Amino acid sequence: MDVPLLVEQAREGRPRAVARLISLVEGASPQLREVMAALAPLTGGAYVVGLTGSPGVGKSTCTSALVTAYRKAGRRVGVLAVDPSSPFSGGALLGDRVRMSEHASDPGVYIRSMATRGHLGGLAWAAPQAIRVLDAAGCDVILVETVGVGQSEVEIAAQADTSVVLLAPGMGDGIQAAKAGILEIGDVYVVNKADRDGADATARELNHMLGLGESRAPGDWRPPIVKTVAARGEGIDEVVEALDKHRAWMEERDVLATRRTTRAAREIETIALTTLRARITTPGPAHDLPALAQRVTQGTLDPYTAADTLVAALTTD
Ligand SMILES: Nc1nc2c(ncn2[C@@H]2O[C@H](COP(=O)(O)OP(=O)(O)OP(=O)(O)O)[C@@H](O)[C@H]2O)c(=O)[nH]1
Ligand SMILES: [Mg+2]
């Protein structure tokens, strides 16, 4: 595969090139290093928004409505729907394609679903690479939808510039059930399905749990709670406004740069650990895990010394 050509075409915004690059990421292609090296100078321009929440809360509907709003404003938009529970892309997310179908023919929108289970490093490893591809392809905004299954929502928050947490009334997710975790990751909260009973109560409860009534240090970010009826596009402009404000707040205080650096550090760490794990289990001239294990079993070596031997050998092998 001609990587420089593919990257050039993706940069020009050709959807097929973008799709092929993301497939290379998903398939953990041996050409990934070359791809990432070529993309590096082209990235950094996109604003990454993560959307998370319980199944069925309205993430895809909200994402689709946000796409419409950003397109009206002339922005190029990338959508990455990540399913951390599936090893197959397009399975559980098939419904999203339907919900996003109105954008399917818009050349200013890229929509891609991605499975991360079964990948080395999972979500933490695969999603940032796909975000890079969309960034390099000239997307101004990248919306990353992840189904909230425990750890994944925290992980996706670590990859976004701004995290949106969605809730809906009467879904049994309640705020109690949504656990304290989401209260730490949301920069913006959306109470969707506000056409249903209980939206005000959900918003009130959320407000209480976030301690929004309490005073904060001047300049601290106060996560707004926005009520929406995503299915009718109601409240979406307010969500965009909240996102704009959060971005401006981050830029004024260098928070954006800090978040991105933290994100890059985490990404490097994940790649390094994945590489190390692979090297540890592949015997080299000076290191051999099964041989060391045998000596530990026989009592001729202790596991700490064995581990030290292994680590020392990795730098020479
Ligand atoms: N009443 C009402 N229904 C809505 C609203 N927004 C979305 N829905 C409906 O809720 C259902 C789930 O919406 P999705 O957007 O697929 O939800 P999701 O969070 O992406 O779902 P998963 O990706 O499966 O976790 C669909 O039938 C939508 O039509 C809303 O504002 N009000
Ligand atoms: Mg969805």
Side-chain angles (χ1 to χ4, degrees):
M1 193 171 306
D2 188 343
V3 171
L5 180 69
L6 211 52
V7 168
E8 191 47 46
Q9 290 178 343
R11 195 184 182 178
E12 288 165 7
R14 297 216 211 157
R16 288 190 63 181
V18 175
R20 286 191 75 181
L21 286 175
I22 296 183
S23 294
L24 288 180
V25 169
E26 236 187 351
S29 155
Q31 286 181 302
L32 203 52
R33 280 170 190 275
E34 192 187 349
V35 170
M36 287 306 149
L39 293 184
L42 308 174
T43 57
Y47 172 50
V48 183
V49 178
L51 295 104
T52 189
S54 304
V57 78
K59 297 178 294 294
S60 300
T61 310
C62 189
T63 300
S64 184
L66 283 170
V67 171
T68 305
Y70 280 121
R71 288 301 292 145
K72 259 188 207 150
R75 299 273 122 88
R76 288 177 72 177
V77 190
V79 176
L80 195 62
V82 184
D83 185 351
S85 65
S86 167
F88 309 106
S89 68
L93 294 159
L94 213 58
D96 293 342
R97 299 237 175 103
V98 177
R99 260 180 280 296
M100 310 259 179
S101 60
E102 62 170 300
H103 305 294
S105 58
D106 182 345
V109 183
Y110 299 98
I111 299 171
R112 177 73 182 219
S113 53
M114 192 175 192
T116 55
R117 201 186 69 182
H119 279 255
L120 286 167
L123 187 57
W125 177 84
Q129 319 295 328
I131 290 171
R132 284 245 153 82
V133 173
L134 293 170
D135 188 352
C139 291
D140 301 301
V141 182
I142 301 171
L143 304 170
V144 185
E145 172 188 343
T146 320
V147 183
V149 285
Q151 188 56 26
S152 65
E153 49 201 22
V154 178
E155 280 187 32
I156 204 65
Q159 288 161 11
D161 294 326
T162 298
S163 292
V164 179
V165 173
L166 285 96
L167 300 160
M171 283 200 41
D173 70 343
I175 296 158
Q176 298 294 348
K179 312 243 165 55
I182 67 147
L183 300 175
E184 277 149 42
I185 61 168
D187 299 306
V188 172
Y189 288 86
V190 169
V191 176
N192 189 40
K193 306 195 183 183
D195 52 330
R196 295 201 178 159
D197 286 345
D200 286 328
T202 301
R204 261 200 311 277
E205 197 182 345
L206 183 59
N207 189 65
H208 176 71
M209 292 200 59
L210 288 169
L212 293 178
E214 294 157 23
S215 60
R216 285 170 188 247
D220 272 6
W221 176 252
R222 222 167 168 281
I225 301 171
V226 185
K227 279 186 281 181
T228 59
V229 184
R232 298 202 295 253
E234 292 171 26
I236 296 302
D237 288 346
E238 286 77 3
V239 177
V240 171
E241 197 184 317
L243 294 174
D244 287 346
K245 275 193 186 145
H246 185 247
R247 185 182 186 170
W249 176 86
M250 287 194 296
E251 278 170 349
E252 276 161 28
R253 286 163 189 79
D254 246 10
V255 176
L256 189 57
T258 309
R259 277 193 183 194
R260 288 181 173 179
T261 310
T262 307
R263 199 157 92 204
R266 214 181 106 101
E267 195 184 338
I268 298 166
E269 195 184 314
T270 308
I271 295 169
L273 286 174
T274 308
T275 310
L276 273 180
R277 195 164 290 132
R279 285 177 60 186
I280 282 173
T281 51
T282 316
H287 81 280
D288 184 350
L289 181 56
L292 288 169
Q294 220 162 34
R295 289 178 59 197
V296 169
T297 324
Q298 289 159 354
T300 56
L301 189 69
D302 72 279
Y304 282 88
T305 308
D308 289 344
T309 310
L310 193 62
V311 171
L314 283 178
T315 54
T316 55
D317 271 6

